[in-house]
Amino acid sequence: MGTLKTEPARARLDLLAPPVAEAIAQWPADAPVDVNDVLVAPIDAELADTAAFCAAYEVGLDVSANCVVVAGKREGVVRYAACIVLATTRADVNGVARRTLDVRKASFAPMEDAVELTGMEYGGITPIGLPAQWPILVDARVIATPHVIIGSGVRHSKIALPGPALGALPGAQVVEGLARPA
């Protein structure tokens, strides 16, 4: 985890966006990953973007996961999903994600929509605490990673947790081939 100074997220809800803090506070006792294994670390908000963050905090791109919000329409209804991929890869938005969402065309959701619908800051959106009706598509490489760093809903902190935890989130689907090498 590089030089991050982590502590249990449930003890530092102040470092999380409100929907993320709520999800951590309501973490099920019978979840496959204990809430105490979900850690948070404060960071410089100016260094929240993946490349800058990894360089500044000595975190490998291979353990940093990005959450991208995608959208597509079907029968006039916009469908949203979150795609979780390692920073060494890119989400296959118009292939695998589009087919999984069952839409004609998928693209990155507009920043304003992603921020408003998630209650999180752009550049900090995380799969924890997303709207319950959204599928969370997790690339199989992410859950194969022992520990990953993800956003916290805000730009001034990051969450560290076991990669398999992301595949166990409510609404999560592990998708083989969701990402391609960058």
Side-chain angles (χ1 to χ4, degrees):
M1 291 191 243
T3 60
L4 292 175
K5 306 264 188 278
T6 61
E7 53 192 305
R10 70 181 182 156
R12 291 301 310 270
L13 298 179
D14 60 302
L15 290 175
L16 308 171
V20 181
E22 184 177 325
I24 294 293
Q26 296 176 4
W27 198 268
D30 63 347
V33 174
D34 190 272
V35 70
N36 292 320
D37 291 333
V38 180
L39 308 174
V40 68
I43 65 163
D44 180 337
E46 297 297 315
L47 299 171
D49 292 333
T50 304
F53 163 75
C54 287
Y57 293 94
E58 301 174 19
V59 172
L61 289 170
D62 60 333
V63 297
S64 183
N66 292 322
C67 178
V68 295
V69 177
V70 297
K73 274 189 182 177
R74 179 69 171 212
E75 298 170 0
V77 176
V78 178
R79 297 179 182 186
Y80 293 95
C83 295
I84 316 305
V85 299
L86 293 176
T88 55
T89 64
R90 294 191 122 137
D92 182 4
V93 174
N94 242 330
V96 176
R98 176 189 59 77
R99 286 190 300 274
T100 305
L101 268 176
D102 191 27
V103 293
R104 226 177 233 255
K105 180 183 171 197
S107 59
F108 295 107
M111 177 180 60
E112 301 80 27
D113 294 350
V115 168
E116 181 181 337
L117 294 170
T118 63
M120 301 179 201
E121 294 178 6
Y122 188 75
I125 294 175
T126 187
I128 299 171
L130 286 175
Q133 69 273 22
W134 287 16
I136 299 170
L137 310 179
V138 185
D139 185 65
R141 291 175 190 94
V142 174
I143 65 157
T145 305
H147 284 87
V148 294
I149 309 295
I150 60 174
S152 63
V154 294
R155 292 181 61 86
H156 63 270
S157 67
K158 293 284 186 181
I159 289 175
L161 76 170
L166 295 170
L169 289 172
Q173 301 171 40
V174 178
V175 180
E176 194 70 45
L178 175 62
R180 300 176 189 245

